[in-house]
Amino acid sequence: MMVDLQTQYATIQGEIDDAVHKVMRDCDFINGAKVQEFGESLAAFTGSKHAVCCANGTDALQIALMALDLNKGDELIMPAFCYAAAVEVTAFLGLKAVLVDVDPATYNIDARKIEAAISNKTRAIIPVHLFGQSCDMLPINNICKKNNLIIIEDNAQSLGAVYSFPDGEKKQTGTMGNIGTLSFFPTKNLACYGDGGAMLCNDDKVAAKLKMIASHGQSKKYQHDIIGCNSRLDTLQAAILSVKLPYLNQYAARRQAAAAYYKKGLEGLENEILMPLEAPFSTHVFHQFTMQILHSRREQLKAFLQKEGIPSMVYYPIPLHKQKAYENLVCASGSLKHSDMLCKTVLSLPMHSELENKQMDFIIEKIHAFFGSKII
Ligand SMILES: *Cc1c(COP(=O)(O)O)cnc(C)c1O
């Protein structure tokens, strides 16, 4: 299994069951007390002034963009190698995604390539904090200040990661731009038992607008002031998330320990595999443990592992400029060669908070066996 939700549930079953049953006994299903309570805990956890809950991480991005008063044809800069949600909502809203290449070492948008992508139509940048670590936010913040651009951080994968500014200031991913978006999809680091999402922001007015858009654009019941949508976090999911949030740092520590164990176990394969890099400016909460398999051997290794009963996944096999749906809706800024290359080389191993050393020992042994090396 790539993630083991059953074992995690078993460790907190009493607390989860009590929280769920309470919501059911109270029949407090829509916008219940737990939604407000979870939003407040999430804001406190991240250090953000506001956390507005919504139905999922894709909606969070869409609502964030709807709150910006953008015009059709306005341009948003985002990475070419990542999950499709940011490009999808950009296209859906009639905006243009301008794709920038990623840094092959961190898999995140290459801040050095952003300025060349800016035109007089550029309105915002969407850094996506991929696989569990922060984009390099200082240069991105500086570029945005200089060019008067908005930052929407897609933080679906990296909740809890901390970025260190050179002056020593530390901030969590999702709190360094104007709005940070989150997903609580069951495989994310903070996961509910269905769909869930949220938006972080520090500006009172923006927070109120996000809330309004997520609730049919209503300023009060049956008074619709702007066009919105219906995007609610279920009270049941909020109750589950309230139980799990206090465990998030502990879960991250388990993931970090597992990543260190993989790295140690796979030493000696430097000519065959590039391990995920931990950037000096960010902690890494290892949403994924994503390696690069060299010499065009990824598919072979993946098939070999599958035969041994070991799951592995390719996040992501197709870069966003090569996706059929967005063909005419995105444009490339400069070469996207690293994005193209990563789609051919990346492979993610099982990674979750319940991973045991003996499971990793088996995976490590089989990878060494594939490359024909001896384990020292
Ligand atoms: C999961 C994910 C999303 C979408 O979240 P959903 O809750 O599934 O809508 C958006 N962006 C990234 C980077 C993701 O990993």
Side-chain angles (χ1 to χ4, degrees):
M1 282 173 291
M2 290 298 286
V3 293
D4 184 353
L5 299 172
Q6 272 163 342
T7 306
Q8 192 190 60
Y9 172 54
T11 63
I12 49 172
Q13 183 171 0
E15 281 181 90
I16 294 270
D17 291 0
D18 288 350
V20 166
H21 287 143
K22 178 161 184 354
V23 175
M24 294 199 287
R25 273 197 309 274
D26 295 347
C27 293
D28 194 14
F29 300 123
I30 300 293
N31 289 336
K34 278 286 169 188
V35 177
Q36 180 72 22
E37 187 190 308
F38 170 66
E40 282 163 17
S41 318
L42 183 62
F45 176 87
T46 56
S48 175
K49 190 162 178 203
H50 302 278
V52 178
C53 296
C54 66
N56 57 68
T58 308
D59 276 8
L61 283 164
Q62 183 180 321
I63 295 163
L65 295 184
M66 286 169 79
L68 301 185
D69 294 321
L70 301 174
N71 296 310
K72 293 238 177 308
D74 281 350
E75 293 177 1
L76 309 178
I77 293 171
M78 59 196 78
F81 176 78
C82 71
Y83 186 61
V87 166
E88 181 181 40
V89 300
T90 300
F92 180 73
L93 293 172
L95 307 164
K96 187 143 200 113
V98 176
L99 302 178
V100 168
D101 210 2
V102 295
D103 177 340
T106 62
Y107 309 127
N108 276 327
I109 192 165
D110 190 337
R112 293 163 299 190
K113 297 189 174 150
I114 290 175
E115 273 196 298
I118 297 174
S119 80
N120 57 6
K121 286 192 175 166
T122 308
R123 298 290 310 278
I125 299 182
I126 308 185
V128 181
H129 304 299
L130 206 64
F131 299 153
Q133 78 182 331
S134 181
C135 298
D136 194 0
M137 289 307 288
L138 178 70
I140 295 176
N141 283 354
N142 288 340
I143 291 166
C144 287
K145 262 189 223 138
K146 198 169 119 195
N147 296 279
N148 198 21
L149 303 175
I150 292 157
I151 302 179
I152 310 285
E153 299 170 72
D154 181 347
N155 194 31
Q157 298 192 1
S158 301
L159 177 59
V162 175
Y163 181 83
S164 298
F165 289 87
D167 66 0
E169 191 188 11
K170 293 182 192 301
K171 279 193 177 177
Q172 278 202 29
T173 47
T175 69
M176 293 177 275
N178 300 78
I179 302 172
T181 64
L182 299 172
S183 165
F184 310 118
F185 186 84
T187 58
K188 307 291 189 197
N189 287 30
L190 178 64
C192 59
Y193 294 172
D195 276 307
M199 295 155 285
L200 306 174
C201 88
N202 287 316
D203 185 298
D204 298 347
K205 276 206 193 112
V206 175
K209 191 163 182 194
L210 293 170
K211 217 170 173 170
M212 210 165 134
I213 293 170
S215 177
H216 298 288
Q218 297 174 110
S219 53
K220 57 183 183 195
K221 211 167 169 65
Y222 306 125
Q223 180 176 319
H224 304 269
D225 292 348
I226 52 176
I227 294 183
C229 58
N230 173 22
S231 187
R232 294 185 285 244
L233 179 67
D234 283 346
T235 312
L236 280 170
Q237 302 301 347
I240 290 161
L241 290 164
S242 291
V243 171
K244 291 178 79 174
L245 181 61
Y247 292 102
L248 184 59
N249 284 334
Q250 199 176 307
Y251 291 158
R254 299 267 315 189
R255 286 170 180 267
Q256 285 157 349
Y261 198 85
Y262 273 137
K263 282 191 178 180
K264 182 103 192 68
L266 294 169
E267 271 173 9
L269 294 175
E270 288 76 13
N271 294 328
E272 314 287 349
I273 303 177
L274 291 182
M275 288 295 135
L277 179 101
E278 290 168 57
F281 50 72
S282 176
T283 61
H284 200 319
V285 294
F286 286 99
H287 174 59
Q288 298 296 345
F289 186 85
T290 304
M291 318 173 293
Q292 294 171 56
I293 311 304
L294 306 175
H295 316 302
S296 308
R297 298 193 74 188
R298 182 190 62 194
E299 294 308 316
Q300 264 177 304
L301 173 61
K302 190 173 190 322
F304 176 85
L305 293 175
Q306 192 172 358
K307 230 177 53 215
E308 298 290 348
I310 299 166
S312 63
M313 291 289 284
V314 174
Y315 304 114
Y316 297 92
I318 306 174
L320 295 167
H321 53 288
K322 295 196 172 148
Q323 294 284 3
K324 192 171 156 209
Y326 319 129
E327 236 166 21
N328 303 312
L329 301 167
V330 301
C331 70
S333 172
S335 156
L336 301 176
K337 66 171 194 254
H338 295 131
S339 301
D340 287 323
M341 179 273 289
L342 289 173
C343 287
K344 296 196 181 89
T345 58
V346 287
L347 191 67
S348 300
L349 293 179
M351 173 52 76
H352 52 85
S353 51
E354 269 58 48
L355 205 52
E356 285 175 18
N357 289 354
K358 65 174 193 300
Q359 295 171 304
M360 288 185 281
D361 286 337
F362 181 69
I363 296 168
I364 289 163
E365 183 195 313
K366 293 300 172 188
I367 293 175
H368 278 285
F370 174 80
F371 289 109
S373 62
K374 287 201 185 69
I375 303 170
I376 345 110

